[in-house]
Amino acid sequence: MTDTQTGQATWYETVLATLKANDVRLVTYVPDRVLTPLIKAVHEDAFFTAFPCTREEEAIGIVSGAWMGGMRGAVLMQTSGFGTLPNALASLVAPCQIPALIFVSQRGTLGEFNLGQALVCRTVQPVLDSIGIESHTITRQDELAFIVDRSIKQAVATQAPVTFILSPLLTGGKIFGA
Amino acid sequence: MNVSGTGAPNAHNAKVMNRFELTKRLVAQLDHDEAVIGGIGNTNFDLWAAGQRSQNFYMLGSMGLAIPIAFGVAIAQPNRHVIALEGDGSLLMQLGCLSTVAMQKPGNLTIIIWDNGLYQITGSQPTASASTADLVAIARASGIANSHWAADEDDFDAQVAAALNGGGPTLIAARIDGEPGVGATDRDPVQIRERFMRGLGVRRASGA
Ligand SMILES: Cc1ncc(C[n+]2csc(CCOP(=O)(O)OP(=O)(O)O)c2C)c(N)n1
């Protein structure tokens, strides 16, 4: 399935294909509207074990355990979910050198209508930088596969987590009133 | 303030036991390289002191995440039994994980809760389970039907033996006293993680 207007793969098809190509079989998440098509797609594909968690920390813990047991995993969340994570990242994922693959659907910028979302959005990059976690804000479909594929390989090879911030420029974001 | 560590007001018939004693009893039953995830603080310290195994993961921070980590190991290695050890305060911090586990029904996961009714390691402040919250009732209501208080040491042994036979997820809660842990873990997260991965057969020692 491709974008009907352009004939190109959609962002979520590219993410799904790249996870598969890198044998990332576990996907845990706390939902976000923009992530809906990706969440639906991983549920519909028997390659993946996918389920929701009650908190993003929990989702991170599960993926960390799975990695230690030999299975690669990704966590999907909204910007506000990332806001709950500094302790789990700083006291588990980073010091244990676990290549957690963290996808953050970016709310809070480029047309945000909720001030709280806008503020939590500004905490994301400083938190990542202060813990020293690699991150990429992805804005373009033509760069998506390259960034995600290469970064997953780097995360595994260097035993380091990586965060993919999915910009509204890539996903369309959430529109006021929509 | 109740600092006696009696805990679990609704578990009237459960004997107050000792975490180190029960941890030793648990470890003595592990003969299939079962993985054990020890929660923050005393839980870890007693697991360490009960005899180090390379299938043990000692969680140094991330309070509340012992159950999610164990669940992740259980997903990755469905043929290995995985046990999460967690304190009452730590469980209360991450209660939602019980709902997630119940929904996904990992047959190879056992959760053991040490309920002293205290945040013992931070100064023995009482937790909600000292007065009002019943952790077994919470686990059952979360969907883990197979959740029980251990009545005494023999009952704990029997419940562990049954849980290791499969049919999980299972939750065993033990009322424990207010004693601190008896050991202290090493503090090198990378070594702990690497040793655990070798213990699970995911990694080989270099040169092997
Ligand atoms: C997120 C977070 N909050 C608070 C703490 C401080 N802390 C460390 S251990 C602990 C108490 C743990 O209680 P419990 O799990 O019941 O174990 P016990 O100390 O009784 O053995 C607390 C509050 C922490 N490490 N992390």
Side-chain angles (χ1 to χ4, degrees):
Chain A
M1 200 180 72
T2 48
D3 186 298
T4 44
Q5 280 162 4
T6 63
Q8 277 189 349
T10 60
W11 69 268
Y12 54 91
E13 290 164 343
T14 301
V15 170
L16 181 126
T18 311
L19 292 176
K20 260 185 151 169
N22 285 281
D23 199 34
V24 179
R25 291 175 180 272
L26 179 62
V27 178
T28 57
Y29 63 87
V30 177
D32 163 74
R33 173 170 290 284
V34 170
L35 292 171
T36 301
L38 178 58
I39 290 168
K40 193 164 175 286
V42 293
H43 272 281
E44 284 169 357
D45 190 328
F47 176 86
F48 295 100
T49 298
F51 55 86
C53 295
T54 62
R55 289 181 60 81
E56 291 77 6
E57 282 187 313
E58 187 199 340
I60 284 283
I62 293 168
V63 160
S64 298
W67 163 255
M68 294 192 285
M71 186 183 202
R72 296 180 186 180
V75 184
L76 316 180
M77 67 192 72
Q78 185 182 96
T79 310
S80 50
F82 185 88
T84 69
L85 282 184
N87 186 55
L89 297 177
S91 70
L92 175 68
V93 172
C96 288
Q97 300 183 355
I98 290 170
L101 310 172
I102 303 166
F103 290 82
V104 182
S105 166
Q106 192 178 36
R107 283 281 308 266
T109 185
L110 300 175
E112 182 56 59
F113 47 88
N114 180 334
L115 175 58
Q117 289 277 4
L119 294 176
V120 78
C121 178
R122 285 180 212 144
T123 70
V124 174
Q125 202 62 52
V127 167
L128 287 165
D129 292 345
S130 62
I131 310 173
I133 294 181
E134 173 105 354
S135 65
H136 299 277
T137 299
I138 309 176
T139 58
R140 295 171 56 105
Q141 172 68 18
D142 62 348
E143 295 177 352
L144 176 63
F146 191 98
I147 292 173
V148 176
D149 177 64
R150 295 291 179 96
S151 299
I152 292 174
K153 290 177 166 67
Q154 178 173 337
V156 171
T158 64
Q159 306 191 93
V162 62
T163 300
F164 304 105
I165 300 168
L166 307 177
S167 165
L169 288 165
L170 177 74
T171 62
K174 189 176 178 198
I175 299 158
F176 183 59
Chain B
M1 194 171 82
N2 169 21
V3 293
S4 64
T6 50
N10 299 321
H12 295 298
N13 297 325
K15 179 181 169 189
V16 175
M17 297 177 274
N18 177 263
R19 182 181 45 240
F20 182 49
E21 173 64 25
L22 293 183
T23 306
K24 283 188 290 188
R25 283 172 174 262
L26 167 73
V27 172
Q29 285 205 45
L30 304 179
D31 47 16
H32 290 92
D33 287 346
E34 292 87 347
V36 184
I37 314 301
I40 192 169
N42 292 317
T43 304
N44 257 337
F45 295 164
D46 278 348
L47 178 64
W48 179 273
Q52 293 162 48
R53 307 165 63 247
S54 56
Q55 292 82 22
N56 289 354
F57 180 70
Y58 308 94
M59 194 187 73
L60 300 183
S62 61
M63 180 173 166
L65 293 190
I67 295 167
I69 292 169
F71 178 29
V73 176
I75 292 168
Q77 300 209 347
N79 295 323
R80 185 190 303 274
H81 203 92
V82 185
I83 299 149
L85 305 180
E86 193 66 291
D88 53 328
S90 297
L91 175 62
L92 286 164
M93 182 173 275
Q94 200 70 231
L95 281 180
C97 72
L98 297 176
S99 308
T100 305
V101 164
M103 197 164 53
Q104 301 304 323
K105 302 184 185 64
N108 58 333
L109 180 67
T110 298
I111 298 167
I112 296 179
I113 304 301
W114 305 132
D115 186 6
N116 53 11
L118 302 171
Y119 299 100
Q120 199 281 338
I121 206 165
T122 51
S124 292
Q125 301 86 351
T127 64
S129 68
S131 54
T132 43
D134 182 325
L135 300 177
V136 166
I138 289 170
R140 284 191 192 146
S142 301
I144 304 181
N146 206 355
S147 300
H148 300 280
W149 289 103
D152 56 21
E153 286 84 355
D154 289 343
D155 185 45
F156 178 80
D157 286 347
Q159 287 197 39
V160 168
L164 293 178
N165 266 330
T170 303
L171 183 142
I172 304 168
R175 296 175 76 190
I176 59 163
D177 59 34
E179 289 299 310
V182 305
T185 56
D186 280 355
R187 301 282 187 176
D188 185 332
V190 170
Q191 280 201 37
I192 288 171
R193 194 263 302 139
E194 187 70 22
R195 184 175 172 217
F196 182 59
M197 291 178 78
R198 289 179 188 173
L200 297 188
V202 174
R203 293 276 175 82
R204 286 172 186 281
S206 50

